[in-house]
Amino acid sequence: TNYQTTRERAQQRITMPALILHGDEDTLVDVKYGRELAEILPHAVLRIFPGAGHNFLVATGGKANQVFIDFIDRVDACQRAAA
């Protein structure tokens, strides 16, 4: 399986909302991959934390947790509205 095939499969199969969190100073996984993933997934939300590395959950002092909670709340609200 090459990269293009994997990308196409992701676009076809992953249809639910996705939250992508990334630190812009991550030296283990370059932030460009978070951006690429956000482009691939049709309902993705990308949040990049300035000054944070791979440990953004700790480095953001709870901001990442709040972003996650807000995302879940929005998805939940949309689900209830659609029902």
Side-chain angles (χ1 to χ4, degrees):
T1 303
N2 64 31
Y3 176 77
Q4 186 62 33
T5 302
T6 302
R7 181 182 178 125
E8 290 168 359
R9 288 179 67 197
Q11 287 172 316
Q12 293 168 358
R13 299 176 94 184
I14 302 174
T15 59
M16 74 290 280
L19 176 62
I20 302 163
L21 305 176
H22 216 291
D24 71 346
E25 294 183 10
D26 192 331
T27 58
L28 296 175
V29 180
D30 195 293
V31 71
K32 73 179 182 180
Y33 296 113
R35 290 186 178 108
E36 287 179 10
L37 186 57
E39 289 177 17
I40 291 170
L41 300 178
H43 304 287
V45 174
L46 173 63
R47 294 291 179 259
I48 298 173
F49 297 99
H54 197 70
N55 68 339
F56 67 86
L57 290 172
V58 174
T60 61
K63 290 179 186 175
N65 292 338
Q66 190 58 54
V67 168
F68 177 74
I69 291 167
D70 293 345
F71 175 78
I72 294 298
D73 287 345
R74 281 192 305 275
V75 170
D76 187 48
C78 288
Q79 293 290 330
R80 281 186 268 130

